[in-house]
Each structure stands twice: as structure tokens, then as C-alpha cells.
Amino acid sequence: TGDKINIELYENKIKRLVIKNNPFIIEKTKYNYYNQIEGENAHMIFKNSEIHKITIDKLAKSIYVVKEKNKIIGFNKSISQKMNIVFEKNKIKNIKSFGQIESTFTPINKENKQKGVKLRNFFWEEDSRPRYINDIF
């Protein structure tokens, strides 16, 4: 989500997507927890209709699920000036944070096992999520 979303197409395929002002990117995991990213602006680059890179600039915040041997062990929350996320075959390959970085790890416990851990602006609206390209246009 974001205040303004621009999509750049090339030969009917998404080439670039820019979310201006208040981007919030959420991925629901198979464990029913949420990986989350927010910042001031988000720039996404696609290759062959698959996401290749996301750059979050100005106060990048993230929470992601930490697994060990396919078991959730906790949540990592970080804040940085900028964040680059590189994907390979629709999976995160590399995450780099820049500038002053604050990071905290929250181990899974009874309380957050029920609700997970969420950024302040978290908003998940399952029924309004586009599932197909025709849902967008």
C-alpha cells in the first residue's frame, strides 16, 4: 500500500513499481505471521515479471520472521536510513541496510506466538488484496 503507486510497463510486463509516501509491504508467511517493510518511498525493479530488487529510502523499518530448521524462533525488527532487498526466483537473496542501523530480536513466546509482531502502521485486509492482474486494472 502507499499514498501513490506508479507502475511502469514494458511490452505488457511490469518493469518498475514506485510507491511514494508511506509504502507498506507485507508478506504473509506459511506460518501465518507477517514479514513487513515500511519507509518513505519504495522502488521495485522487476525482471521477467518477477520482483528483482526493492529499495526503501528514508527511515526503512522492517520486521521479519526468523526461522531455524523450519521452526520460528522469533522476529527481527530493524530501522535504518535505507534498505536494499535483492530477490532470486521470488525468494529473498540478500538484505542490506545503510546508515545508522538499530536492530532487535524478539524470541517467540506465548504472547507473540498468538499475534505475531507488527509495525505500528500494519494493516492487513485479506479480502481487498488483488489476486489476479485483472483485479488491478
Side-chain angles (χ1 to χ4, degrees):
T1 61
D3 293 349
K4 184 177 181 181
I5 300 173
N6 295 324
I7 301 172
E8 183 181 325
L9 301 173
Y10 179 74
E11 295 180 353
N12 289 327
K13 293 181 182 178
I14 294 177
K15 180 178 178 184
R16 185 178 312 231
L17 188 139
V18 177
I19 305 172
K20 294 276 190 180
N21 303 324
N22 305 310
F24 205 108
I25 302 164
I26 305 172
E27 174 195 36
K28 186 176 184 179
T29 70
K30 67 181 181 180
Y31 306 99
N32 288 324
Y33 297 113
Y34 300 91
N35 293 320
Q36 308 152 59
I37 304 168
E38 71 177 339
E40 191 169 305
N41 297 302
H43 303 270
M44 303 172 154
I45 297 172
F46 291 78
K47 289 187 178 179
N48 300 320
S49 297
E50 291 183 352
I51 193 159
H52 173 68
K53 182 179 179 182
I54 300 174
T55 299
I56 305 290
D57 58 14
K58 297 183 184 172
L59 198 55
K61 298 178 185 176
S62 70
I63 291 179
Y64 62 88
V65 176
V66 179
K67 297 181 292 184
E68 191 173 90
K69 298 180 183 175
N70 287 330
K71 183 179 177 186
I72 303 280
I73 61 168
F75 305 91
N76 190 69
K77 181 177 183 179
S78 70
I79 301 171
S80 61
Q81 296 303 309
K82 181 179 176 178
M83 181 182 295
N84 285 338
I85 305 157
V86 177
F87 293 79
E88 190 173 277
K89 297 180 183 176
N90 283 328
K91 302 276 187 206
I92 293 175
K93 179 181 177 184
N94 192 352
I95 300 173
K96 288 185 181 177
S97 296
F98 302 91
Q100 185 175 354
I101 302 166
E102 295 176 30
S103 184
T104 56
F105 175 77
T106 304
I108 194 111
N109 61 34
K110 189 175 183 179
E111 182 181 319
N112 63 30
K113 192 171 192 174
Q114 295 293 323
K115 302 181 297 184
V117 176
K118 297 179 177 89
L119 291 170
R120 187 169 48 107
N121 293 323
F122 179 90
F123 182 71
W124 183 258
E125 198 170 349
E126 183 79 30
D127 294 336
S128 66
R129 260 185 80 226
R131 304 226 187 279
Y132 308 99
I133 193 75
N134 291 339
D135 294 342
I136 297 172
F137 298 105

